[in-house]
């Protein structure tokens, strides 16, 4: 299996001391998980490397033969303003440090600084560079309204503008290592979005899905981190956790809103440190998977109610995609209906039937609490009982009626149509209102509107004429 390089852009380490370069790159890889590293000992070669390679960040020694670090810093800032530079000097001089920052350096460290501080500084700079690049990508995509990899979304049927923005955003964030939070009501297609994010990331490893709802803290830790042999009674064999199984791929944690408080702490630490301990082991392992999480719950609300950790919420929210419910993208309903009818007909070995035009009107006026999953189930139900040439609307009507009854909407309508403190409209007025509403729902189509009203089309036409003249 090929290992993915992190970050997606290269980190160039420049220093004339080979031993420093070696020890720095080992430390960055071991403690920071940073593997996309170029090394350069010769100051005169730096500008050539920057022109050739995809470098996003440079660490620069100040005292080098030929070209000094300060001169190089000036040139990099002038010629490659998008590349971040961290200065690592042998000397602890405040004046030089201030000067480097003024010239445009991102940060300044002294070689004698604690190694951990330097690595944290590089990680911070990488994160900011990633955000900067992501921003540029986003701007480019929104301005051009383009998708670079439409094939990654081939399984997602939509013509909705909001969904297209979701795709564009995903394309911008997918190559980074940062976690992605996918939110939206149940059945809107969050798992499909997680799959697209995995495809777009270009990661060679697998997509591993774990539903964390109902896992108690010990099971959560064991599932994700795995265990050593003898870690607990019954652990006769060592077992790799899901994080390891998702190495160089994506770990998809579904129903994250149901995670216990104790497991939230573990997840936060994992995301912050990029490391974890298999149960029974005191040797940390580095996570090589990208984490995508999903929830149908309002995490902001849960966080305010004290049921979800604030720090974890903010960490996850940095890259959030929200999938709108189906009732807010009604133009997708006919597309999805066509798609699922074809799928169902093929799967059930039947010819795909035509359907009456009123069907899409009926569906457009329904709230779809189960979203796309519910529409899919209706289409499959309808095809399974279908016999004639034209699809019957009965299955759809029955489901909608049942849901409305379960939700008590019929009663709610009864209660809210006529406010107790207002006088009743006349029968004529109510009829006109009904006709208006039916025409609105049928988008001006008289034959559909007449069926909605349960009258013939000529009767509706007569009524409309009368309304226009009066
Ligand atoms: N835009 C779409 N195009 C085609 N199929 C879709 C689309 N959106 C959802 N589906 C289908 O609807 C069903 C539900 O989707 P999915 O499981 O991704 O939803 P979800 O948001 O993850 O739901 P839950 O919150 O219940 O886990 C699946 O069969 C999926 O293939």
């Amino acid at each position: 299996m090929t290992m993915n390089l992190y970050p997606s852009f290269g980190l160039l380490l420049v220093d004339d001391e080979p031993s420093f370069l070696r020890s720095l790159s080992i430390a960055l890889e071991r403690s920071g998980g940073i593997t996309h590293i170029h090394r350069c000992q010769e100051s005169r070669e730096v500008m050539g490397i920057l022109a050739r390679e995809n470098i996003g960040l440079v660490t620069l020694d100040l005292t080098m033969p030929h070209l000094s670090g300060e001169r190089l810093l000036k040139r990099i800032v002038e010629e490659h303003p998008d590349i971040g530079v961290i200065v690592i000097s042998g000397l602890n001089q405040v004046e030089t440090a201030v000067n480097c920052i003024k010239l445009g350096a991102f940060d300044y460290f002294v070689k004698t600084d604690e190694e951990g501080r330097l690595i944290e500084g590089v990680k911070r700079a990488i994160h900011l560079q990633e955000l900067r690049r992501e921003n540029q990508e986003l701007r480019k995509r929104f301005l051009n309204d383009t998708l670079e990899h439409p094939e990654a979304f081939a399984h997602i049927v939509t013509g909705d503008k909001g969904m297209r923005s979701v795709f564009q955003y995903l394309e911008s964030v997918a190559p980074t290592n940062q976690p992605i939070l996918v939110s939206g009501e149940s059945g809107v297609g969050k798992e499909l979005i997680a799959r697209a994010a995995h495809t777009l990331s270009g990661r060679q490893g697998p997509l591993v899905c774990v539903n964390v709802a109902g896992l108690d803290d010990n099971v959560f830790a064991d599932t994700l981190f795995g265990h050593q042999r003898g870690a607990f009674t019954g652990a006769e064999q060592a077992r790799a956790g899901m994080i390891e199984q998702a190495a160089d791929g994506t770990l998809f944690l579904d129903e994250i809103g149901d995670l216990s408080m104790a497991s939230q702490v573990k997840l936060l630490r994992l995301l912050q440190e990029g490391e974890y301990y298999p149960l029974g082991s005191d040797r940390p392992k580095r996570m090589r998977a990208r984490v995508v999480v999903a929830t149908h719950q309002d995490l902001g609300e849960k966080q305010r109610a004290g049921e979800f950790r604030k720090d974890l919420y903010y960490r996850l929210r940095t890259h959030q995609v929200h999938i709108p419910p189906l009732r807010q993208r009604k133009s997708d309903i006919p597309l999805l209906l066509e798609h699922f009818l074809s799928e169902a007909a093929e799967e059930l070995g039947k010819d795909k039937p035509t359907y009456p035009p009123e069907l899409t009107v009926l569906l457009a006026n329904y709230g779809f609490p189960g979203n796309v999953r519910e529409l899919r189930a209706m289409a499959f139900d309808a095809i399974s009982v279908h016999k004639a040439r034209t699809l019957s609307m009965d299955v759809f009507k029955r489901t909608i009626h049942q849901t409305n009854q379960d939700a008590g909407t019929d009663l709610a309508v009864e209660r809210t149509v006529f406010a107790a403190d207002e006088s009743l409209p006349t029968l004529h007025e109510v009829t006109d209102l009904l006709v208006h509403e039916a025409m609105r729902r049928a988008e001006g189509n008289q034959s559909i509107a007449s069926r909605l009203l349960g009258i013939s089309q000529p009767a509706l036409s007569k009524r409309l004429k009368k309304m226009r003249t009066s």
Side-chain angles (χ1 to χ4, degrees), residues 136-244:
Q136 285 170 345
E137 275 296 303
L138 261 179
R139 216 173 317 144
K140 196 175 87 195
R141 279 177 220 283
F142 279 124
L143 288 178
N144 299 342
D145 194 24
T146 51
L147 282 179
E148 215 154 282
H149 301 284
E151 69 284 358
F153 306 103
H155 300 296
I156 307 179
V157 177
T158 184
D160 182 72
K161 263 188 112 178
M163 289 294 282
R164 193 170 167 83
S165 304
V166 165
F167 294 174
Q168 288 173 326
Y169 180 70
L170 264 191
E171 281 200 340
S172 309
V173 300
T176 74
N177 236 11
Q178 301 301 320
I180 299 178
L181 164 64
V182 189
S183 60
E185 290 179 11
S186 188
V188 285
K190 297 186 292 297
E191 187 170 336
L192 290 182
I193 290 290
R195 287 184 186 279
H198 172 66
T199 309
L200 288 167
S201 74
R203 291 172 159 267
Q204 306 294 314
L207 169 76
V208 175
C209 304
V210 185
N211 187 325
V212 299
L215 297 187
D216 78 25
D217 187 44
N218 289 332
V219 180
F220 173 77
D222 189 34
T223 308
L224 256 63
F225 307 153
H227 59 249
Q228 293 277 82
R229 185 168 166 221
F232 48 82
T233 321
E236 278 149 23
Q237 298 291 333
R239 206 196 65 198
M242 294 298 190
I243 298 177
E244 195 158 335

Side-chain angles (χ1 to χ4, degrees), residues 259-447:
L259 207 57
S260 71
M261 282 306 231
S263 300
Q264 289 176 31
V265 178
K266 292 193 172 71
L267 178 61
L268 178 67
R269 206 174 299 142
L270 175 74
L271 296 175
Q272 273 173 344
E273 313 294 331
E275 282 183 349
Y276 64 98
Y277 291 85
L279 300 188
S281 164
D282 53 9
R283 287 188 46 199
K285 281 194 163 186
R286 180 141 283 284
M287 173 167 71
R288 282 170 41 206
R290 170 354 135 67
V291 176
V292 176
V293 303
T295 182
H296 65 275
Q297 305 195 41
D298 183 343
L299 283 193
E301 191 55 48
K302 286 205 84 159
Q303 180 262 123
R304 281 186 289 280
E307 292 162 5
F308 202 84
R309 287 185 68 97
K310 202 172 177 172
D311 39 15
L312 179 58
Y313 170 63
Y314 283 109
R315 176 108 203 164
L316 293 174
R317 218 184 61 158
T318 318
H319 293 110
Q320 177 174 6
V321 287
H322 182 73
I323 316 301
L326 189 54
R327 63 182 167 281
Q328 282 174 16
R329 43 186 167 112
K330 286 191 191 293
S331 61
D332 274 353
I333 293 175
L335 299 178
L336 285 162
L337 179 66
E338 278 287 336
H339 172 74
F340 291 136
L341 289 178
S342 304
E343 194 187 3
E346 195 178 320
E347 222 165 273
L348 302 172
K350 296 189 171 185
D351 287 336
K352 187 182 156 207
T354 53
Y355 55 83
E358 301 93 300
L359 180 55
T360 49
V361 177
L362 177 77
L363 297 177
N365 286 292
Y366 176 54
F368 281 104
N371 290 290
V372 185
R373 181 182 290 118
E374 189 180 6
L375 176 56
R376 186 175 187 275
M378 283 183 187
F380 270 73
D381 261 5
I383 294 283
S384 66
V385 296
H386 160 73
K387 288 194 184 75
R389 252 189 55 189
T390 306
L391 192 69
S392 152
M393 288 180 37
D394 289 353
V395 166
F396 299 90
K397 280 183 178 162
R398 222 178 303 126
T399 316
I400 291 172
H401 179 67
Q402 187 61 46
T403 313
N404 285 344
Q405 266 198 337
D406 291 349
T409 37
D410 288 354
L411 283 176
V413 168
E414 249 175 57
R415 271 199 304 269
T416 52
V417 165
F418 306 114
D421 53 354
E422 278 177 26
S423 57
L424 286 177
T426 64
L427 262 182
H428 270 301
E429 283 166 346
V430 171
T431 315
D432 287 357
L433 279 174
L434 262 176
V435 170
H436 270 304
E437 183 59 17
M439 286 298 284
R440 191 190 63 78
R441 293 187 182 199
E443 292 169 358
N445 184 320
Q446 286 191 18
S447 108

Side-chain angles (χ1 to χ4, degrees), residues 8-9 55-58 76-86 104-107 124-140 172-173 176 178 318-319:
S8 55
F9 51 80
I55 303 289
L57 186 66
V58 179
I76 297 173
V77 171
E78 266 169 31
E79 293 173 36
H80 300 276
D82 291 341
I83 296 180
V85 182
I86 292 179
F106 185 80
D107 215 339
R124 204 167 43 238
I126 287 177
H127 184 49
L128 279 169
Q129 274 301 95
E130 282 182 334
L131 287 178
R132 200 150 113 182
R133 288 189 163 214
E134 192 184 298
N135 231 326
Q136 285 170 345
E137 275 296 303
L138 261 179
R139 216 173 317 144
K140 196 175 87 195
S172 309
V173 300
T176 74
Q178 301 301 320
T318 318
H319 293 110

